[in-house]
Amino acid sequence: MSEMVVDGVSVTVIRKKIRSMNIYVKAPDGEVRVSVPERTSDRMIRRFVASHIDWIEVQRQKMLARHVVHHFVTGERYPVFGVPYTLVVQNAKTKRTCGVYKDGKQLMMTAMPQSTEEERKALLNKWQRTQLQDVAAVMLHNWADKLGVEVKEWHIRRMRTKWGTCNYYAHRIWLSLALAEQPVECVEYVVVHELVHLLVPNHSTQFWALMSQYMPDWKERRTKLNTPQKT
């Protein structure tokens, strides 16, 4: 066994008496392993892993989604841009007073008595959406200017397997609501990643060269983004 880092992703390499290379993501922590024929060069391994980076990220997100269970009750911990907060649920007198706000290291949720888990989740998601909109709007404006690109529209939605997407032809960007829980520098990585796709629609060498030009530490940011947070 040996270790290598490819595009910011740590990879465990296992050489075996096999004919082809195989890659998989191990539960529960998203460890990436690749099995290769005994005489495979490191260069070939790196190229193989690099060609599967998007698939690796999708698998890691699926894995995290399966292992994080919330009931939106007092005492649970939720990260707000990477900083953990403790949820406190209080009873509301009317639906108009329902909502979420920060108080020190606590997330105060005012919900109707006997509210369902889905209703409390909706309250938190609505608040998270507002937080992410404020942060992302500034980043998109500033980085679009730096890159010399135009974003015709952008939106936030729940995504199960991606942090963001870009429609090259429509100049439309979508960001995952889950970014509201990630450190700000990770949100910025996703924003820049999608904006660079307005210059290069694929993940070619040119794309990653532009990422390195405008955000030299993008690999570190991506690694942090795909590392499960401790709450």
Side-chain angles (χ1 to χ4, degrees), residues 9 12 14 27 34 38 43 49 51 71 82-83 100 103-104 121 130 140 165 178 180 200 214:
V9 176
T12 299
I14 305 171
V34 58
E38 292 180 312
R43 182 179 179 183
V49 174
S51 69
H71 300 290
V83 179
V100 177
D103 182 9
K121 178 180 180 180
T130 300
L140 283 162
T165 62
V200 183
Y214 287 100

mmCIF file with all atom_site columns, all heavy atoms in Angstrom, residues 9 12 14 27 34 38 43 49 51 71 82-83 100 103-104 121 130 140 165 178 180 200 214:
data_model
loop_
_atom_site.group_PDB
_atom_site.id
_atom_site.type_symbol
_atom_site.label_atom_id
_atom_site.label_alt_id
_atom_site.label_comp_id
_atom_site.label_asym_id
_atom_site.label_entity_id
_atom_site.label_seq_id
_atom_site.pdbx_PDB_ins_code
_atom_site.Cartn_x
_atom_site.Cartn_y
_atom_site.Cartn_z
_atom_site.occupancy
_atom_site.B_iso_or_equiv
_atom_site.pdbx_formal_charge
_atom_site.auth_seq_id
_atom_site.auth_comp_id
_atom_site.auth_asym_id
_atom_site.auth_atom_id
_atom_site.pdbx_PDB_model_num
ATOM 1   N N   . VAL A 1 9   ? -7.160  15.288 -3.311  1.00 0.00 ? 9   VAL A N   1
ATOM 2   C CA  . VAL A 1 9   ? -7.808  14.115 -2.731  1.00 0.00 ? 9   VAL A CA  1
ATOM 3   C C   . VAL A 1 9   ? -6.749  13.083 -2.338  1.00 0.00 ? 9   VAL A C   1
ATOM 4   O O   . VAL A 1 9   ? -5.921  12.684 -3.160  1.00 0.00 ? 9   VAL A O   1
ATOM 5   C CB  . VAL A 1 9   ? -8.801  13.476 -3.728  1.00 0.00 ? 9   VAL A CB  1
ATOM 6   C CG1 . VAL A 1 9   ? -9.403  12.194 -3.147  1.00 0.00 ? 9   VAL A CG1 1
ATOM 7   C CG2 . VAL A 1 9   ? -9.889  14.464 -4.087  1.00 0.00 ? 9   VAL A CG2 1
ATOM 8   N N   . THR A 1 12  ? -5.379  6.019  -1.375  1.00 0.00 ? 12  THR A N   1
ATOM 9   C CA  . THR A 1 12  ? -4.613  4.841  -0.974  1.00 0.00 ? 12  THR A CA  1
ATOM 10  C C   . THR A 1 12  ? -4.463  3.937  -2.196  1.00 0.00 ? 12  THR A C   1
ATOM 11  O O   . THR A 1 12  ? -5.466  3.539  -2.808  1.00 0.00 ? 12  THR A O   1
ATOM 12  C CB  . THR A 1 12  ? -5.321  4.063  0.150   1.00 0.00 ? 12  THR A CB  1
ATOM 13  O OG1 . THR A 1 12  ? -5.455  4.909  1.294   1.00 0.00 ? 12  THR A OG1 1
ATOM 14  C CG2 . THR A 1 12  ? -4.524  2.821  0.541   1.00 0.00 ? 12  THR A CG2 1
ATOM 15  N N   . ILE A 1 14  ? -3.271  0.439  -3.907  1.00 0.00 ? 14  ILE A N   1
ATOM 16  C CA  . ILE A 1 14  ? -3.019  -0.970 -3.603  1.00 0.00 ? 14  ILE A CA  1
ATOM 17  C C   . ILE A 1 14  ? -2.633  -1.673 -4.907  1.00 0.00 ? 14  ILE A C   1
ATOM 18  O O   . ILE A 1 14  ? -3.430  -1.734 -5.849  1.00 0.00 ? 14  ILE A O   1
ATOM 19  C CB  . ILE A 1 14  ? -4.269  -1.648 -3.006  1.00 0.00 ? 14  ILE A CB  1
ATOM 20  C CG1 . ILE A 1 14  ? -4.749  -0.876 -1.777  1.00 0.00 ? 14  ILE A CG1 1
ATOM 21  C CG2 . ILE A 1 14  ? -3.979  -3.098 -2.645  1.00 0.00 ? 14  ILE A CG2 1
ATOM 22  C CD1 . ILE A 1 14  ? -6.088  -1.321 -1.254  1.00 0.00 ? 14  ILE A CD1 1
ATOM 23  N N   . ALA A 1 27  ? -16.792 3.491  2.890   1.00 0.00 ? 27  ALA A N   1
ATOM 24  C CA  . ALA A 1 27  ? -17.602 4.031  3.995   1.00 0.00 ? 27  ALA A CA  1
ATOM 25  C C   . ALA A 1 27  ? -16.880 3.792  5.320   1.00 0.00 ? 27  ALA A C   1
ATOM 26  O O   . ALA A 1 27  ? -16.078 2.856  5.426   1.00 0.00 ? 27  ALA A O   1
ATOM 27  C CB  . ALA A 1 27  ? -18.974 3.346  3.999   1.00 0.00 ? 27  ALA A CB  1
ATOM 28  N N   . VAL A 1 34  ? -7.594  2.857  -4.648  1.00 0.00 ? 34  VAL A N   1
ATOM 29  C CA  . VAL A 1 34  ? -7.482  2.440  -6.038  1.00 0.00 ? 34  VAL A CA  1
ATOM 30  C C   . VAL A 1 34  ? -6.596  1.197  -6.114  1.00 0.00 ? 34  VAL A C   1
ATOM 31  O O   . VAL A 1 34  ? -5.504  1.170  -5.547  1.00 0.00 ? 34  VAL A O   1
ATOM 32  C CB  . VAL A 1 34  ? -6.923  3.574  -6.937  1.00 0.00 ? 34  VAL A CB  1
ATOM 33  C CG1 . VAL A 1 34  ? -5.562  4.050  -6.448  1.00 0.00 ? 34  VAL A CG1 1
ATOM 34  C CG2 . VAL A 1 34  ? -6.853  3.133  -8.384  1.00 0.00 ? 34  VAL A CG2 1
ATOM 35  N N   . GLU A 1 38  ? 0.413   -4.456 -10.668 1.00 0.00 ? 38  GLU A N   1
ATOM 36  C CA  . GLU A 1 38  ? 1.649   -4.272 -9.896  1.00 0.00 ? 38  GLU A CA  1
ATOM 37  C C   . GLU A 1 38  ? 2.635   -3.286 -10.510 1.00 0.00 ? 38  GLU A C   1
ATOM 38  O O   . GLU A 1 38  ? 3.298   -2.543 -9.797  1.00 0.00 ? 38  GLU A O   1
ATOM 39  C CB  . GLU A 1 38  ? 2.321   -5.625 -9.678  1.00 0.00 ? 38  GLU A CB  1
ATOM 40  C CG  . GLU A 1 38  ? 1.542   -6.547 -8.762  1.00 0.00 ? 38  GLU A CG  1
ATOM 41  C CD  . GLU A 1 38  ? 2.225   -7.883 -8.566  1.00 0.00 ? 38  GLU A CD  1
ATOM 42  O OE1 . GLU A 1 38  ? 2.641   -8.489 -9.578  1.00 0.00 ? 38  GLU A OE1 1
ATOM 43  O OE2 . GLU A 1 38  ? 2.359   -8.319 -7.408  1.00 0.00 ? 38  GLU A OE2 1
ATOM 44  N N   . ARG A 1 43  ? 2.367   7.924  -12.510 1.00 0.00 ? 43  ARG A N   1
ATOM 45  C CA  . ARG A 1 43  ? 1.790   8.874  -13.458 1.00 0.00 ? 43  ARG A CA  1
ATOM 46  C C   . ARG A 1 43  ? 0.459   8.369  -14.010 1.00 0.00 ? 43  ARG A C   1
ATOM 47  O O   . ARG A 1 43  ? -0.515  9.118  -14.095 1.00 0.00 ? 43  ARG A O   1
ATOM 48  C CB  . ARG A 1 43  ? 2.774   9.113  -14.606 1.00 0.00 ? 43  ARG A CB  1
ATOM 49  C CG  . ARG A 1 43  ? 2.279   10.125 -15.636 1.00 0.00 ? 43  ARG A CG  1
ATOM 50  C CD  . ARG A 1 43  ? 3.320   10.328 -16.728 1.00 0.00 ? 43  ARG A CD  1
ATOM 51  N NE  . ARG A 1 43  ? 2.848   11.277 -17.728 1.00 0.00 ? 43  ARG A NE  1
ATOM 52  C CZ  . ARG A 1 43  ? 3.525   11.600 -18.824 1.00 0.00 ? 43  ARG A CZ  1
ATOM 53  N NH1 . ARG A 1 43  ? 4.716   11.047 -19.045 1.00 0.00 ? 43  ARG A NH1 1
ATOM 54  N NH2 . ARG A 1 43  ? 3.034   12.463 -19.683 1.00 0.00 ? 43  ARG A NH2 1
ATOM 55  N N   . VAL A 1 49  ? -7.040  8.472  -11.523 1.00 0.00 ? 49  VAL A N   1
ATOM 56  C CA  . VAL A 1 49  ? -7.809  9.055  -10.412 1.00 0.00 ? 49  VAL A CA  1
ATOM 57  C C   . VAL A 1 49  ? -8.363  10.417 -10.812 1.00 0.00 ? 49  VAL A C   1
ATOM 58  O O   . VAL A 1 49  ? -9.535  10.727 -10.538 1.00 0.00 ? 49  VAL A O   1
ATOM 59  C CB  . VAL A 1 49  ? -6.932  9.182  -9.146  1.00 0.00 ? 49  VAL A CB  1
ATOM 60  C CG1 . VAL A 1 49  ? -7.695  9.919  -8.046  1.00 0.00 ? 49  VAL A CG1 1
ATOM 61  C CG2 . VAL A 1 49  ? -6.505  7.795  -8.657  1.00 0.00 ? 49  VAL A CG2 1
ATOM 62  N N   . SER A 1 51  ? -9.254  11.473 -13.623 1.00 0.00 ? 51  SER A N   1
ATOM 63  C CA  . SER A 1 51  ? -10.384 11.331 -14.546 1.00 0.00 ? 51  SER A CA  1
ATOM 64  C C   . SER A 1 51  ? -11.665 10.925 -13.830 1.00 0.00 ? 51  SER A C   1
ATOM 65  O O   . SER A 1 51  ? -12.754 10.969 -14.412 1.00 0.00 ? 51  SER A O   1
ATOM 66  C CB  . SER A 1 51  ? -10.054 10.297 -15.631 1.00 0.00 ? 51  SER A CB  1
ATOM 67  O OG  . SER A 1 51  ? -9.984  8.986  -15.082 1.00 0.00 ? 51  SER A OG  1
ATOM 68  N N   . HIS A 1 71  ? -33.195 15.426 13.471  1.00 0.00 ? 71  HIS A N   1
ATOM 69  C CA  . HIS A 1 71  ? -34.617 15.450 13.804  1.00 0.00 ? 71  HIS A CA  1
ATOM 70  C C   . HIS A 1 71  ? -35.082 16.866 14.123  1.00 0.00 ? 71  HIS A C   1
ATOM 71  O O   . HIS A 1 71  ? -36.237 17.075 14.438  1.00 0.00 ? 71  HIS A O   1
ATOM 72  C CB  . HIS A 1 71  ? -34.896 14.523 14.985  1.00 0.00 ? 71  HIS A CB  1
ATOM 73  C CG  . HIS A 1 71  ? -34.520 13.092 14.708  1.00 0.00 ? 71  HIS A CG  1
ATOM 74  N ND1 . HIS A 1 71  ? -35.234 12.307 13.825  1.00 0.00 ? 71  HIS A ND1 1
ATOM 75  C CD2 . HIS A 1 71  ? -33.507 12.318 15.173  1.00 0.00 ? 71  HIS A CD2 1
ATOM 76  C CE1 . HIS A 1 71  ? -34.679 11.107 13.765  1.00 0.00 ? 71  HIS A CE1 1
ATOM 77  N NE2 . HIS A 1 71  ? -33.634 11.089 14.561  1.00 0.00 ? 71  HIS A NE2 1
ATOM 78  N N   . GLY A 1 82  ? -19.415 26.398 8.605   1.00 0.00 ? 82  GLY A N   1
ATOM 79  C CA  . GLY A 1 82  ? -18.310 25.679 9.230   1.00 0.00 ? 82  GLY A CA  1
ATOM 80  C C   . GLY A 1 82  ? -18.201 25.829 10.730  1.00 0.00 ? 82  GLY A C   1
ATOM 81  O O   . GLY A 1 82  ? -17.429 25.121 11.372  1.00 0.00 ? 82  GLY A O   1
ATOM 82  N N   . VAL A 1 83  ? -18.979 26.733 11.312  1.00 0.00 ? 83  VAL A N   1
ATOM 83  C CA  . VAL A 1 83  ? -18.932 26.958 12.761  1.00 0.00 ? 83  VAL A CA  1
ATOM 84  C C   . VAL A 1 83  ? -20.124 26.237 13.402  1.00 0.00 ? 83  VAL A C   1
ATOM 85  O O   . VAL A 1 83  ? -21.276 26.501 13.038  1.00 0.00 ? 83  VAL A O   1
ATOM 86  C CB  . VAL A 1 83  ? -19.001 28.459 13.100  1.00 0.00 ? 83  VAL A CB  1
ATOM 87  C CG1 . VAL A 1 83  ? -18.975 28.670 14.599  1.00 0.00 ? 83  VAL A CG1 1
ATOM 88  C CG2 . VAL A 1 83  ? -17.854 29.202 12.413  1.00 0.00 ? 83  VAL A CG2 1
ATOM 89  N N   . VAL A 1 100 ? -35.864 31.348 12.504  1.00 0.00 ? 100 VAL A N   1
ATOM 90  C CA  . VAL A 1 100 ? -34.576 30.953 13.077  1.00 0.00 ? 100 VAL A CA  1
ATOM 91  C C   . VAL A 1 100 ? -33.675 32.177 13.149  1.00 0.00 ? 100 VAL A C   1
ATOM 92  O O   . VAL A 1 100 ? -33.689 33.028 12.249  1.00 0.00 ? 100 VAL A O   1
ATOM 93  C CB  . VAL A 1 100 ? -33.896 29.858 12.218  1.00 0.00 ? 100 VAL A CB  1
ATOM 94  C CG1 . VAL A 1 100 ? -32.521 29.499 12.783  1.00 0.00 ? 100 VAL A CG1 1
ATOM 95  C CG2 . VAL A 1 100 ? -34.783 28.610 12.146  1.00 0.00 ? 100 VAL A CG2 1
ATOM 96  N N   . ASP A 1 103 ? -28.004 33.316 18.244  1.00 0.00 ? 103 ASP A N   1
ATOM 97  C CA  . ASP A 1 103 ? -27.831 33.968 19.542  1.00 0.00 ? 103 ASP A CA  1
ATOM 98  C C   . ASP A 1 103 ? -26.590 33.360 20.184  1.00 0.00 ? 103 ASP A C   1
ATOM 99  O O   . ASP A 1 103 ? -26.651 32.282 20.758  1.00 0.00 ? 103 ASP A O   1
ATOM 100 C CB  . ASP A 1 103 ? -29.066 33.747 20.426  1.00 0.00 ? 103 ASP A CB  1
ATOM 101 C CG  . ASP A 1 103 ? -28.932 34.473 21.773  1.00 0.00 ? 103 ASP A CG  1
ATOM 102 O OD1 . ASP A 1 103 ? -27.983 35.253 21.939  1.00 0.00 ? 103 ASP A OD1 1
ATOM 103 O OD2 . ASP A 1 103 ? -29.784 34.238 22.656  1.00 0.00 ? 103 ASP A OD2 1
ATOM 104 N N   . GLY A 1 104 ? -25.463 34.066 20.063  1.00 0.00 ? 104 GLY A N   1
ATOM 105 C CA  . GLY A 1 104 ? -24.208 33.496 20.547  1.00 0.00 ? 104 GLY A CA  1
ATOM 106 C C   . GLY A 1 104 ? -23.850 32.268 19.740  1.00 0.00 ? 104 GLY A C   1
ATOM 107 O O   . GLY A 1 104 ? -23.772 32.307 18.513  1.00 0.00 ? 104 GLY A O   1
ATOM 108 N N   . LYS A 1 121 ? -37.609 21.371 9.810   1.00 0.00 ? 121 LYS A N   1
ATOM 109 C CA  . LYS A 1 121 ? -36.563 21.326 8.787   1.00 0.00 ? 121 LYS A CA  1
ATOM 110 C C   . LYS A 1 121 ? -36.760 22.456 7.781   1.00 0.00 ? 121 LYS A C   1
ATOM 111 O O   . LYS A 1 121 ? -35.795 23.117 7.365   1.00 0.00 ? 121 LYS A O   1
ATOM 112 C CB  . LYS A 1 121 ? -36.593 19.977 8.062   1.00 0.00 ? 121 LYS A CB  1
ATOM 113 C CG  . LYS A 1 121 ? -35.571 19.846 6.943   1.00 0.00 ? 121 LYS A CG  1
ATOM 114 C CD  . LYS A 1 121 ? -35.671 18.484 6.270   1.00 0.00 ? 121 LYS A CD  1
ATOM 115 C CE  . LYS A 1 121 ? -34.659 18.352 5.142   1.00 0.00 ? 121 LYS A CE  1
ATOM 116 N NZ  . LYS A 1 121 ? -34.749 17.023 4.478   1.00 0.00 ? 121 LYS A NZ  1
ATOM 117 N N   . THR A 1 130 ? -31.348 31.977 3.094   1.00 0.00 ? 130 THR A N   1
ATOM 118 C CA  . THR A 1 130 ? -31.114 33.421 3.194   1.00 0.00 ? 130 THR A CA  1
ATOM 119 C C   . THR A 1 130 ? -29.648 33.714 3.498   1.00 0.00 ? 130 THR A C   1
ATOM 120 O O   . THR A 1 130 ? -29.050 34.629 2.907   1.00 0.00 ? 130 THR A O   1
ATOM 121 C CB  . THR A 1 130 ? -31.999 34.028 4.297   1.00 0.00 ? 130 THR A CB  1
ATOM 122 O OG1 . THR A 1 130 ? -33.370 33.805 3.974   1.00 0.00 ? 130 THR A OG1 1
ATOM 123 C CG2 . THR A 1 130 ? -31.757 35.530 4.422   1.00 0.00 ? 130 THR A CG2 1
ATOM 124 N N   . LEU A 1 140 ? -20.160 35.868 -6.015  1.00 0.00 ? 140 LEU A N   1
ATOM 125 C CA  . LEU A 1 140 ? -20.427 35.765 -7.455  1.00 0.00 ? 140 LEU A CA  1
ATOM 126 C C   . LEU A 1 140 ? -20.155 37.089 -8.162  1.00 0.00 ? 140 LEU A C   1
ATOM 127 O O   . LEU A 1 140 ? -19.559 37.109 -9.249  1.00 0.00 ? 140 LEU A O   1
ATOM 128 C CB  . LEU A 1 140 ? -21.879 35.341 -7.677  1.00 0.00 ? 140 LEU A CB  1
ATOM 129 C CG  . LEU A 1 140 ? -22.172 33.859 -7.450  1.00 0.00 ? 140 LEU A CG  1
ATOM 130 C CD1 . LEU A 1 140 ? -23.667 33.629 -7.268  1.00 0.00 ? 140 LEU A CD1 1
ATOM 131 C CD2 . LEU A 1 140 ? -21.639 33.019 -8.602  1.00 0.00 ? 140 LEU A CD2 1
ATOM 132 N N   . THR A 1 165 ? -23.626 23.461 -9.972  1.00 0.00 ? 165 THR A N   1
ATOM 133 C CA  . THR A 1 165 ? -23.646 23.133 -11.397 1.00 0.00 ? 165 THR A CA  1
ATOM 134 C C   . THR A 1 165 ? -23.628 24.427 -12.198 1.00 0.00 ? 165 THR A C   1
ATOM 135 O O   . THR A 1 165 ? -24.012 25.489 -11.703 1.00 0.00 ? 165 THR A O   1
ATOM 136 C CB  . THR A 1 165 ? -24.887 22.316 -11.804 1.00 0.00 ? 165 THR A CB  1
ATOM 137 O OG1 . THR A 1 165 ? -26.064 23.091 -11.565 1.00 0.00 ? 165 THR A OG1 1
ATOM 138 C CG2 . THR A 1 165 ? -24.961 21.007 -11.049 1.00 0.00 ? 165 THR A CG2 1
ATOM 139 N N   . ALA A 1 178 ? -26.695 22.924 0.776   1.00 0.00 ? 178 ALA A N   1
ATOM 140 C CA  . ALA A 1 178 ? -25.798 22.356 1.785   1.00 0.00 ? 178 ALA A CA  1
ATOM 141 C C   . ALA A 1 178 ? -24.546 23.200 1.995   1.00 0.00 ? 178 ALA A C   1
ATOM 142 O O   . ALA A 1 178 ? -23.854 23.062 3.011   1.00 0.00 ? 178 ALA A O   1
ATOM 143 C CB  . ALA A 1 178 ? -25.398 20.928 1.400   1.00 0.00 ? 178 ALA A CB  1
ATOM 144 N N   . ALA A 1 180 ? -24.459 26.135 2.857   1.00 0.00 ? 180 ALA A N   1
ATOM 145 C CA  . ALA A 1 180 ? -24.688 27.012 4.011   1.00 0.00 ? 180 ALA A CA  1
ATOM 146 C C   . ALA A 1 180 ? -24.039 26.449 5.267   1.00 0.00 ? 180 ALA A C   1
ATOM 147 O O   . ALA A 1 180 ? -23.839 27.176 6.246   1.00 0.00 ? 180 ALA A O   1
ATOM 148 C CB  . ALA A 1 180 ? -26.183 27.202 4.245   1.00 0.00 ? 180 ALA A CB  1
ATOM 149 N N   . VAL A 1 200 ? -14.412 27.580 -19.456 1.00 0.00 ? 200 VAL A N   1
ATOM 150 C CA  . VAL A 1 200 ? -14.086 26.237 -19.960 1.00 0.00 ? 200 VAL A CA  1
ATOM 151 C C   . VAL A 1 200 ? -15.164 25.279 -19.446 1.00 0.00 ? 200 VAL A C   1
ATOM 152 O O   . VAL A 1 200 ? -15.229 25.013 -18.244 1.00 0.00 ? 200 VAL A O   1
ATOM 153 C CB  . VAL A 1 200 ? -12.700 25.774 -19.463 1.00 0.00 ? 200 VAL A CB  1
ATOM 154 C CG1 . VAL A 1 200 ? -12.353 24.407 -20.061 1.00 0.00 ? 200 VAL A CG1 1
ATOM 155 C CG2 . VAL A 1 200 ? -11.630 26.794 -19.811 1.00 0.00 ? 200 VAL A CG2 1
ATOM 156 N N   . TYR A 1 214 ? -6.269  31.525 -10.634 1.00 0.00 ? 214 TYR A N   1
ATOM 157 C CA  . TYR A 1 214 ? -7.107  32.445 -9.872  1.00 0.00 ? 214 TYR A CA  1
ATOM 158 C C   . TYR A 1 214 ? -7.267  32.062 -8.400  1.00 0.00 ? 214 TYR A C   1
ATOM 159 O O   . TYR A 1 214 ? -7.493  32.927 -7.558  1.00 0.00 ? 214 TYR A O   1
ATOM 160 C CB  . TYR A 1 214 ? -8.486  32.539 -10.517 1.00 0.00 ? 214 TYR A CB  1
ATOM 161 C CG  . TYR A 1 214 ? -8.484  33.329 -11.808 1.00 0.00 ? 214 TYR A CG  1
ATOM 162 C CD1 . TYR A 1 214 ? -8.479  32.674 -13.033 1.00 0.00 ? 214 TYR A CD1 1
ATOM 163 C CD2 . TYR A 1 214 ? -8.459  34.718 -11.798 1.00 0.00 ? 214 TYR A CD2 1
ATOM 164 C CE1 . TYR A 1 214 ? -8.463  33.392 -14.229 1.00 0.00 ? 214 TYR A CE1 1
ATOM 165 C CE2 . TYR A 1 214 ? -8.445  35.441 -12.978 1.00 0.00 ? 214 TYR A CE2 1
ATOM 166 C CZ  . TYR A 1 214 ? -8.440  34.770 -14.195 1.00 0.00 ? 214 TYR A CZ  1
ATOM 167 O OH  . TYR A 1 214 ? -8.403  35.484 -15.358 1.00 0.00 ? 214 TYR A OH  1
#
